[in-house]
Amino acid sequence: MTCSCITRRRALGFAALAALPVSALLAGCGDKAAEQQSLAPVEIDRSTSCELDGMLLADYPGPKAQIHYAGQDKPSFFCDTVELFNTLLAGEQVRPIRAVYVQDMGQAHWEEPKGHWIDAKSAIYVLGSKRHGSMGPTIASFAQEADATKFAGEHGGKVLRFGDIKLDMVDLSGGALHDTRM
């Protein structure tokens, strides 16, 4: 009798242990799906403001950006890619980042960019063009190198990859100091 009770307990214990990973896996799948959804780029609207200076993104031309920080439900938006790179490259940046997006200016309209969000780390950039964003001179972002090369041919500038952009290239003393629309 005692022997069958131990066997039954063991069997129930093993069944309970076997069930734990399944429920953990199911919970993990739900968390993963929710995390992926929360990492998707968020579209700007008329009230979306810049993390650094409060400017309304929809009021200004040129590429915009967003950072999804760990532990933050909504992304932090930037009205210009120069602000984005200054934030990413500044030594004070210590918050863990889950995703970074910029707009593909090969697809988005320069004067009123909407949508066309791409992963910032895989984007191709043009630094030093004649086109201005919200902060004056900006860094144009593209999904395709051919679009970046065409843009540089038309508007000047140098084609760069994400890792090629350094802190001394992202001066914030431009447009905001002279902007009277804020």
Side-chain angles (χ1 to χ4, degrees):
M1 266 296 182
T2 307
C3 190
S4 69
C5 286
I6 293 172
T7 305
R8 179 188 264 170
R9 278 190 197 151
R10 281 188 183 162
L12 290 173
F14 286 130
L17 286 174
L20 279 176
V22 171
S23 63
L25 284 174
L26 290 175
C29 288
D31 292 346
K32 196 73 147 171
E35 181 179 325
Q36 289 302 323
Q37 185 177 10
S38 71
L39 291 181
V42 175
E43 190 51 57
I44 62 173
D45 60 29
R46 295 291 312 154
S47 66
T48 305
S49 62
C50 179
E51 167 91 357
L52 296 182
D53 53 30
M55 292 169 60
L56 295 176
L57 274 64
D59 289 347
Y60 296 92
K64 311 297 182 241
Q66 57 185 278
I67 298 177
H68 295 248
Y69 291 106
Q72 187 174 308
D73 291 340
K74 295 180 181 179
S76 294
F77 288 96
F78 299 87
C79 56
D80 195 283
T81 51
V82 173
E83 288 181 334
L84 169 75
F85 278 103
N86 187 276
T87 298
L88 292 174
L89 297 172
E92 306 85 45
Q93 173 55 290
V94 295
R95 293 188 284 178
I97 295 173
R98 296 169 45 209
V100 181
Y101 297 102
V102 293
Q103 290 177 300
D104 176 8
M105 299 313 291
Q107 301 295 317
H109 186 269
W110 190 272
E111 295 304 318
E112 294 180 29
K114 291 181 178 45
H116 304 288
W117 295 100
I118 56 174
D119 176 33
K121 292 182 181 179
S122 64
I124 310 296
Y125 298 92
V126 177
L127 174 72
S129 81
K130 295 178 228 164
R131 297 294 310 255
H132 284 201
S134 65
M135 304 305 291
T138 193
I139 304 171
S141 47
F142 298 90
Q144 304 296 320
E145 189 164 0
D147 291 338
T149 302
K150 179 182 176 191
F151 180 88
E154 293 173 6
H155 304 285
K158 182 178 180 179
V159 176
L160 301 168
R161 302 243 178 237
F162 182 86
D164 296 333
I165 300 172
K166 305 299 180 212
L167 185 58
D168 63 347
M169 299 174 178
V170 290
D171 181 16
L172 289 180
S173 64
L177 296 177
H178 309 289
D179 187 355
T180 59
R181 294 187 290 175
M182 288 194 302

